[in-house]
Amino acid sequence: MKISLYNERTMFECLEATFDFLRANRRVWFRSALLLFLPICVVVSLMMFFSIEKDSMGKDVFFWFENFSQIDNYSMFIFLAWYVAVCAVMVQIHSLLSANEERDEGVEGMSLKELRPWFIRTAIRSWYLPLFFVLLVVLYATEPILGFLMTVVMVPLALLPALHLIERLDFMNAISKAILRGFPIWFKIFVNIVLVSLLGLYVFLMLFLPTGFFSWMLETVSTSQLHELERLFVIALGFAFTVLASFGLCVVFSMVVLVCAYLYGSMSEEIDASSLEGEVADFENER
């Protein structure tokens, strides 16, 4: 079932379309998530495990649950890894949506090899997008008094990635259009982001629960008291849970990006009649 992007939808219909898209394209969505997210999650988890500290016996301790403070040594690398993860989420969602609109049969059943041109094209245009949002966060951190204003502005800017990557506007025009078109539907955008984030948070917590429980359990047991085989098992299990939790966080963000894209599609159809323009362009091309 093809879930069209350009369709006038109410606030809750955009939310429904988000989950309909995930359900209708679950196989290709999950395969692309494994390809784009999993390697980054593994890298982040490895950085956490490479926080080395000497235990009371003078031995190296690698297990990050016992030495979480040492992660500060790798904070810049972890930040860069998560920056790449944000780019990967944008590439995944907007590539799938673009391919879904360009193909009559939608994207379900497509192989990753068939999706490669969309991935490459979107990656070229999206790698610098998170820099803009990082800049806004830095400004917010340096000038807390602007926090309320920044929050108000950030909501309509949630439409920026779709305008830049799907409508293919240049960066400045995409910012301008996101603000002009986003403020009239500010409440609609805000509520949808909050609802999807809450639902996604539930998914993330379910994935993170084993990690949290495992960490709490090991607070009473020092890895130096374990046999070598037990220690390796503890490290492997903790690493697997950490990767799973990181992957869940990427999944949550992909859901937020997807609902923002459907909000863009609703706004675009309501104001610009984008689907009609597309049909006219296809008809002219056929002629």
Side-chain angles (χ1 to χ4, degrees), residues 90-136:
M90 290 185 177
V91 168
Q92 184 212 29
I93 294 301
H94 295 98
S95 295
L96 292 178
L97 288 173
S98 297
N100 189 63
E101 289 302 307
E102 294 178 26
R103 289 166 50 95
D104 294 334
E105 62 275 26
V107 295
E108 183 60 15
M110 290 184 69
S111 67
L112 295 179
K113 184 177 181 180
E114 290 174 312
L115 281 166
R116 187 186 303 165
W118 281 278
F119 287 153
I120 294 173
R121 184 177 65 190
T122 308
I124 292 172
R125 290 182 60 85
S126 66
W127 69 268
Y128 54 84
L129 265 182
L131 285 173
F132 178 73
F133 294 100
V134 168
L135 176 62
L136 293 179

Side-chain angles (χ1 to χ4, degrees), residues 129-194:
L129 265 182
L131 285 173
F132 178 73
F133 294 100
V134 168
L135 176 62
L136 293 179
V137 172
V138 170
L139 290 175
Y140 171 73
T142 55
E143 296 291 340
I145 196 172
L146 298 177
F148 176 76
L149 178 61
M150 296 295 291
T151 302
V152 171
V153 173
M154 287 287 283
V155 170
L157 284 177
L159 302 178
L160 171 61
L163 286 163
H164 185 57
L165 299 175
I166 297 178
E167 197 165 317
R168 301 181 193 175
L169 296 178
D170 64 77
F171 189 63
M172 296 308 299
N173 282 335
I175 293 176
S176 176
K177 191 170 183 178
I179 293 175
L180 291 175
R181 299 291 176 83
F183 270 112
I185 57 172
W186 191 96
F187 181 76
K188 184 178 180 180
I189 299 172
F190 179 78
V191 171
N192 272 268
I193 291 176
V194 169

Side-chain angles (χ1 to χ4, degrees), residues 233-249:
F233 176 75
V234 166
I235 291 175
L237 199 57
F239 177 75
F241 284 148
T242 306
V243 172
L244 185 62
S246 301
F247 184 80
L249 191 60

Side-chain angles (χ1 to χ4, degrees), residues 54-60:
K54 298 290 184 180
D55 63 11
S56 58
M57 303 297 292
K59 296 180 180 180
D60 290 338

